[in-house]
Amino acid sequence: MTHLQPAIRHRRAPRRCGCEKPSRLFALVVTLILALLPCASLHAQRGNRSLNDELLRKLQIAELAISELYVDSVDQPKLVEDAIRGMLEKLDPHSSYSTAKETKAMNESLGGSFEGIGIQFNVQNDTLLVIQPVTGGPSERVGILAGDRIVAVNDSAIAGVKMARDEIVRRLRGSKGSKVKLTIVRRGIKDKLTFTVVRDKIPVKTLDASYMVRPGLGYVRIGSFGATTYKEFMEAVKALQKQGMVDLVLDLQDNGGGYMIAAVQIANEFLSKGDLIVYTDGRRVPRNEYRAQGNGTLQNGRVVVLVNEFSASAAEIVTGAIQDHDRGLVVGRRSFGKGLVQRPVDFSDGSMMRITIAHYFTPSGRCIQKPYKKGDLKGYEQELDTRYKHGELYSADSIHFADSLKFQTLRRHRTVYGGGGIMPDYFVPLDTTQYTRLHRQLAAKGIIIKVNLKYVDNHRKQLRRQYPSFQTFLNNFQVPQSVIDEVMAEGKKEKVEPKDDDELKKTLPQLCAQIKALVARDLWDMSEYFQIINQQNHIVEKAIEVMGDEQAWK
């Protein structure tokens, strides 16, 4: 045990400091070490233990010494979590640790469901406003309607008490089969209403929208890749095919990824039997290939995939496979560049570590992962800012690839690039002039959504009568001037005002489009929202243009 003595001698201090006597401290350390080691001689065993055992014992001794000897009390579970995070922070940017609570929330979003009462809601003026009950969900089954205000949960007030949104969600959620009593205020009804809702599994949609752009051309937007994504996608495709869809715009803008298997399933729908979709390879993980089965329903017809700088991971798998096999064209801006595969390591307390085990590669052999420096998370996170500063979001000419990163597509032998995201076939620059300073500030302060909620809440029945179908609404609805005036009045209260008449004039078209889309969302759903908002999306506009350009498909 002599190797511990210098440290002990170094820590000697006058007894007036309240330190442990050297002899007692030494005894305590010895006790800790003996608790970890067998009774045999430490020196005799050192030659027999593997390096891994040595390192593990070193970690154990360090943790126990800190928890037992440190001058102040320590939170032992947090100490261990911090140690795990500290190790992972020195690796790649995507290896991570999540607490039990964080893991549960993540698994709910990817797993495709959570347990609760089944409503879409927003908090307005310190009151929970029901935007829409989930169709067929527990709240709809007992008669809760859009526009209802939930003011109490199990006789405990949640309105007018400045309760945090997370706390409201916690009270509404619960295990399947459990009951919750809701007190509701409904417009036109004098007395408060009481409903007992039996909580149930609530589906979480990963598909944002699907609709027909024009005869023969369908549109599907996927927000993330989860356990139910493939099922949602196929349901949308079948519905669009019944409406005459031949060609498809697949929108993966802002899609941060998710389950690899969901991406493989969707890519399979477009490719021929035996076509390589993606392969993974790592230091301790052998190469693993995923190939198309040849049973896809979308092997014919034109396909355009939309990506931007926030499209990542599973979204890049689908995009890379379609581009490499020349099955479709890619429109937008260079994708994020996440080509690392994580494996979850579950802990008994419900927490989880996700550790990178491999890279994934597109069929032509491109590694999509963008470069990174181990341990430099800040630099990695600022990479998009660097692209912005270098002009890469505004001009394809600002994006430079080394010759070593050039690859060829597998059928038409077009040049594509690796080493950092998917570079689109048709680049669409970011338009910073599309939204004015005034519009951005009104949106950032939540003023547009606040006024919209109030308008729909006050006019829901009238709007339903006036516009019985979405097509009628799309063709005829105009945002009332009173709504615009209220947005500007609320903006003035927050010191957000147009600097001149010219800025106001430039703001109004986009502002009206956004409000119209939000009204459609609250009356129908997200498909109707995107059907309106996409009329202002330059990447979608370019996709429609490319779809009709015969030269692009030769």
Side-chain angles (χ1 to χ4, degrees):
M1 302 289 180
T2 56
H3 61 288
L4 291 176
Q5 290 174 0
I8 293 171
R9 286 199 297 268
H10 178 72
R11 291 186 59 180
R12 286 186 179 181
R15 294 180 61 182
R16 64 177 180 272
C17 293
C19 296
E20 194 84 36
K21 286 184 178 181
S23 58
R24 292 177 59 196
L25 179 59
F26 180 77
L28 179 57
V29 173
V30 170
T31 302
L32 289 171
I33 300 302
L34 291 176
L36 288 171
L37 301 179
C39 296
S41 166
L42 186 65
H43 293 289
Q45 292 189 29
R46 180 172 293 141
N48 299 326
R49 290 199 306 266
S50 69
L51 177 61
N52 286 342
D53 289 339
E54 286 277 8
L55 296 176
L56 178 60
R57 292 180 187 280
K58 186 175 181 179
L59 283 174
Q60 291 174 320
I61 293 168
E63 190 277 327
L64 274 175
I66 293 170
S67 62
E68 296 295 335
L69 301 178
Y70 185 63
V71 62
D72 297 319
S73 61
V74 294
D75 183 336
Q76 199 167 359
K78 186 176 186 301
L79 194 66
V80 173
E81 289 184 342
D82 289 344
I84 296 172
R85 287 194 174 99
M87 287 188 287
L88 295 176
E89 284 171 1
K90 300 301 181 183
L91 304 179
D92 66 278
H94 296 293
S95 292
S96 62
Y97 172 82
S98 56
T99 64
K101 182 178 180 181
E102 292 166 342
T103 301
K104 184 174 184 292
M106 180 171 58
N107 288 339
E108 283 177 347
S109 63
L110 288 176
S113 68
F114 63 91
E115 295 175 352
I117 66 170
I119 59 169
Q120 297 178 39
F121 73 91
N122 212 323
V123 178
Q124 180 186 22
N125 297 330
D126 202 24
T127 302
L128 187 153
L129 175 67
V130 178
I131 296 175
Q132 290 282 0
V134 173
T135 302
S139 289
E140 186 188 59
R141 289 198 294 266
V142 300
I144 292 175
L145 304 174
D148 284 349
R149 288 167 170 78
I150 300 177
V151 296
V153 177
N154 289 330
D155 296 323
S156 178
I158 64 170
V161 293
K162 303 293 183 183
M163 185 174 290
R165 186 185 181 96
D166 287 349
E167 177 61 19
I168 293 175
V169 171
R170 187 190 69 79
R171 293 179 182 228
L172 293 176
R173 287 191 179 183
S175 59
K176 179 180 177 179
S178 62
K179 295 181 180 180
V180 59
K181 178 183 174 184
L182 303 179
T183 304
I184 283 177
V185 173
R186 179 172 295 170
R187 184 175 296 276
I189 305 296
K190 183 179 179 181
D191 298 325
K192 293 178 181 178
L193 304 175
T194 301
F195 296 90
T196 298
V197 180
V198 180
R199 297 183 179 99
D200 203 347
K201 286 277 188 183
I202 309 300
V204 176
K205 289 186 177 181
T206 59
L207 191 144
D208 292 335
S210 63
Y211 61 88
M212 293 297 294
V213 176
R214 65 185 185 204
L217 178 58
Y219 169 94
V220 174
R221 179 183 174 101
I222 301 175
S224 62
F225 287 90
T228 62
T229 302
Y230 177 68
K231 179 176 181 290
E232 294 175 51
F233 177 73
M234 293 311 300
E235 288 174 352
V237 165
K238 289 175 183 176
L240 293 175
Q241 287 175 334
K242 286 182 180 179
Q243 298 176 56
M245 181 185 76
V246 176
D247 304 321
L248 174 65
V249 174
L250 178 60
D251 192 347
L252 301 180
Q253 293 179 85
D254 304 320
N255 184 318
Y259 288 159
M260 175 190 286
I261 192 62
V264 170
Q265 289 174 319
I266 288 175
N268 175 74
E269 293 299 314
F270 297 94
L271 302 177
S272 302
K273 185 174 183 178
D275 284 349
L276 181 61
I277 295 172
V278 66
Y279 69 91
T280 63
D281 201 5
R283 180 177 67 91
R284 301 296 295 270
V285 179
R287 173 166 168 152
N288 190 18
E289 296 184 349
Y290 299 82
R291 293 184 177 272
Q293 300 174 23
N295 59 350
T297 60
L298 295 167
Q299 295 184 59
N300 300 309
R302 295 175 177 176
V303 181
V304 175
V305 184
L306 312 186
V307 295
N308 63 10
E309 57 275 14
F310 299 109
S311 305
S313 188
E316 292 171 306
I317 290 177
V318 175
T319 307
I322 289 175
Q323 187 181 52
D324 279 6
H325 285 291
D326 293 298
R327 177 62 191 87
L329 297 171
V330 181
V331 173
R333 291 185 290 276
R334 182 161 66 103
S335 61
F336 182 86
K338 181 186 180 299
L340 300 176
V341 182
Q342 280 77 47
R343 174 174 292 171
V345 178
D346 298 316
F347 297 107
S348 59
D349 63 351
S351 61
M352 181 178 69
M353 177 174 69
R354 293 173 60 84
I355 185 167
T356 297
I357 60 168
H359 289 83
Y360 69 68
F361 299 83
T362 71
S364 67
R366 290 184 286 168
C367 178
I368 302 304
Q369 178 59 45
K370 61 186 178 182
Y372 62 88
K373 182 179 178 181
K374 287 184 178 179
D376 186 14
L377 182 59
K378 183 177 180 181
Y380 188 78
E381 291 175 340
Q382 291 179 341
E383 192 268 344
L384 289 182
D385 291 335
T386 302
R387 290 193 206 181
Y388 181 87
K389 292 173 182 176
H390 288 175
E392 293 187 27
L393 302 183
Y394 308 111
S395 171
D397 295 336
S398 298
I399 305 172
H400 304 290
F401 294 97
D403 288 342
S404 61
L405 298 176
K406 286 185 178 181
F407 293 78
Q408 300 292 314
T409 61
L410 303 177
R411 286 176 170 77
R412 296 171 60 187
H413 306 293
R414 298 179 299 116
T415 298
V416 290
Y417 298 93
I422 300 286
M423 184 66 186
D425 301 303
Y426 290 87
F427 181 84
V428 180
L430 180 66
D431 184 2
T432 57
T433 66
Q434 185 176 11
Y435 296 100
T436 65
R437 175 204 61 86
L438 173 63
H439 192 163
R440 289 194 296 269
Q441 290 189 2
L442 289 170
K445 290 184 176 290
I447 293 169
I448 300 171
I449 289 180
K450 177 182 176 181
V451 172
N452 168 74
L453 284 171
K454 182 179 178 181
Y455 170 71
V456 174
D457 188 39
N458 290 334
H459 299 85
R460 187 181 300 273
K461 289 183 179 179
Q462 175 190 337
L463 290 167
R464 283 290 193 187
R465 286 195 301 268
Q466 192 171 353
Y467 306 104
S469 69
F470 171 69
Q471 196 60 48
T472 306
F473 177 89
L474 182 65
N475 295 338
N476 301 298
F477 178 80
Q478 299 290 328
V479 177
Q481 184 61 43
S482 60
V483 175
I484 301 298
D485 292 342
E486 186 167 358
V487 169
M488 295 304 162
E490 290 295 324
K492 189 174 183 179
K493 293 178 184 177
E494 298 284 343
K495 298 182 180 179
V496 178
E497 299 182 76
K499 62 182 179 181
D500 52 37
D501 290 340
D502 185 55
E503 184 181 38
L504 178 60
K505 185 178 179 180
K506 289 179 179 178
T507 300
L508 289 178
Q510 297 293 341
L511 177 61
C512 288
Q514 183 180 0
I515 293 174
K516 183 174 181 177
L518 289 169
V519 173
R521 179 202 67 180
D522 293 351
L523 293 178
W524 288 279
D525 209 337
M526 291 301 294
S527 287
E528 288 74 18
Y529 170 87
F530 279 104
Q531 195 163 344
I532 293 172
I533 211 70
N534 279 344
Q535 294 175 356
Q536 316 295 322
N537 188 309
H538 297 328
I539 293 179
V540 175
E541 290 175 348
K542 183 65 177 179
I544 296 171
E545 177 189 324
V546 168
M547 191 66 79
D549 182 0
E550 295 300 327
Q551 291 297 318
W553 301 93
K554 291 183 178 179

